[in-house]
């Protein structure tokens, strides 16, 4: 049976980390909110699944249904799917290492979101522009270097070599780091201009993921929603700045 | 062999969610940064473990060492420890449900932190007080009700009854919800004054956890660091406000 992915239509957002894994593995899945209403899909189906009186409702998208099981939270979905999609380390201990890295990626994603919404996610960006500029400046000066420097170090210290974050083969964490590099470059083209100099292993990993046949086909397909200003990574030129 | 918990000395912080599980289970553990330097413990030992050249270094505390394995990120540590401490659901599917809930608790913790640090974690609170007031106001008006209303609903919809978040027995997620109620009450005594009216199942769970013998003994011991203004939950009266 196909996996059912529930995520908002019209943006990559956190759902994209799950999509990349499903696409790389060529796993059958339904992107529920993007389906047709006449087939029982669409945003109404997503809202109904959130509003359920069933046990253990999810807090927010993304969530995944696999038969009777509903799994919420991006990193949790990937932890669950990883072994099934053969995108997790075989060693059980390393699966927890992968999950720890994925949760650090999740922290970076939250901070990227908060560059344009530092005060309230329920207010418009335009209502918190001054605060967004201050937070984005700190993000570029301090937080991106801390996170990216960390991932670069993890790659450099991987005993299997710097091509993967965990172990000697592709995992979902590598796919997520690709998405981080893509997203940061989209949102902050000036700040990320010298990424290849500062984080060569991360950029090499990004480039290797981008050219994998299933990923390349996905990125060229209409299933890949373009980055836009409703997602996590938003390009507001006034928040960007050059970084040596 | 005893588990080694690595977390900053002097604050409850994210380490507290792990401590509560270890204490409830009466598991042997060393709180590394709080140990004596002469025994190879203390903050220097924590910093050395962060600065390691070994594979898969952690990004930040808390992290746990269990023999050769180092596990980073609070929810990941609890997912790993849960079954070993008999504080996870027996059903494997429900373990992912528990992890999804724990990650939602983690999101709430991050937002609680950002009420006093909305612009930059590297700046002092005093440097971002106006923005903190705006963020804390939104947190009290919108975010606490959304998160707490969700946990109340999960308890109400639990087919085993409202005493536990997942299944019919205590799990680490229940212990973490106890800590959330404690922390929010400490930080925002005015805003949480009517918690028992709005979230009766959550408060009943909190009270039941608080009186469990191992938890009560822990809370009365010097191992429980008091809340203070270096942790996640901080009581700055100017950020609090009454909420009906």
């Amino acid at each position: 049976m196909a996996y059912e992915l529930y995520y908002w239509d019209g943006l990559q957002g956190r759902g994209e980390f799950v999509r990349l894994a499903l696409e790389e593995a060529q796993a059958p899945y339904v992107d529920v909110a993007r389906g047709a209403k006449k087939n029982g899909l669409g945003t109404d189906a997503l809202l109904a699944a959130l509003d359920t009186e069933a046990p253990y409702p999810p807090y927010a998208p993304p969530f995944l249904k696999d038969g009777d099981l509903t799994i919420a939270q991006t990193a949790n979905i990937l932890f669950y799917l990883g072994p099934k999609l053969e995108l997790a380390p075989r060693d059980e201990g390393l699966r927890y290492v992968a999950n720890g890295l994925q949760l650090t990626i999740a922290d970076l994603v939250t901070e990227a979101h908060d560059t344009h919404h530092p005060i309230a996610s329920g207010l418009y960006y335009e209502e918190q522009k001054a605060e967004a500029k201050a937070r984005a400046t700190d993000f570029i000066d301090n937080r991106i270097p801390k996170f990216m420097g960390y991932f670069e170090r993890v790659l450099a210290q991987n005993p299997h070599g710097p091509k993967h974050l965990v172990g000697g083969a592709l995992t979902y964490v590598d796919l997520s780091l690709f998405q981080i590099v893509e997203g940061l470059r989209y949102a902050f083209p000036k700040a990320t201009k010298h990424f290849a100099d500062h984080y060569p292993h991360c950029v090499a990993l990004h480039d290797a993921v981008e050219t994998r046949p299933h990923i390349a086909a996905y990125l060229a397909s209409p299933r890949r929603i373009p980055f836009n200003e409703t997602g996590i990574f938003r390009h507001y030129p006034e928040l960007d700045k050059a970084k040596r």
Side-chain angles (χ1 to χ4, degrees), chain A residues 36-240:
Chain A
K37 192 163 182 170
K38 66 174 188 224
N39 299 328
L41 303 172
T43 295
D44 286 351
L46 167 63
L47 295 174
L50 275 173
D51 196 34
T52 179
E53 291 179 13
Y56 315 121
Y59 177 74
F63 52 96
L64 183 90
K65 291 199 185 188
D66 182 13
D68 289 339
L69 191 59
T70 300
I71 298 172
Q73 289 273 1
T74 312
N76 193 30
I77 296 168
L78 289 168
F79 198 24
Y80 173 80
L81 284 178
K84 296 178 199 296
L85 303 183
E86 296 187 18
L87 285 172
R90 291 193 181 184
D91 177 81
E92 205 200 327
L94 287 185
R95 289 185 182 174
Y96 288 95
V97 170
N99 191 41
L101 289 165
Q102 190 67 38
L103 288 168
T104 301
I105 287 174
D107 287 344
L108 171 51
V109 167
T110 295
E111 294 197 22
H113 169 272
D114 284 5
T115 59
H116 47 79
H117 279 77
I119 300 300
S121 54
L123 295 178
Y124 290 107
Y125 162 63
E126 287 72 19
E127 296 174 272
Q128 47 197 315
K129 276 183 83 163
E131 298 89 343
K133 179 63 182 171
R135 178 132 188 180
T137 299
D138 181 70
F139 185 66
I140 290 168
D141 286 343
N142 298 309
R143 304 303 289 170
I144 291 179
K146 186 168 180 195
F147 279 108
M148 291 300 298
Y150 170 71
F151 293 122
E152 185 70 13
R153 186 173 151 229
V154 172
L155 287 166
Q157 292 179 201
N158 183 346
H160 295 272
K163 289 193 174 175
H164 301 291
L165 282 161
V166 191
L170 184 81
T171 69
Y172 65 82
V173 191
D174 294 331
L175 300 175
S176 292
L177 186 59
F178 157 81
Q179 176 70 2
I180 290 291
V181 173
E182 280 287 293
L184 291 175
R185 280 180 168 170
Y186 170 77
F188 304 107
K190 288 185 192 167
T192 58
K193 190 176 174 194
H194 301 293
F195 252 33
D197 299 331
H198 294 304
Y199 316 115
H201 294 320
C202 291
V203 170
L205 184 154
H206 165 274
D207 296 352
V209 167
E210 190 173 38
T211 54
R212 293 181 71 86
H214 296 158
I215 296 294
Y218 168 62
L219 296 176
S221 79
R223 298 189 304 286
R224 172 79 165 185
I225 303 162
F227 283 109
N228 62 43
E229 277 54 72
T230 56
I232 302 278
F233 296 106
R234 303 188 186 184
H235 180 51
Y236 294 128
E238 64 273 20
L239 298 185
D240 194 12

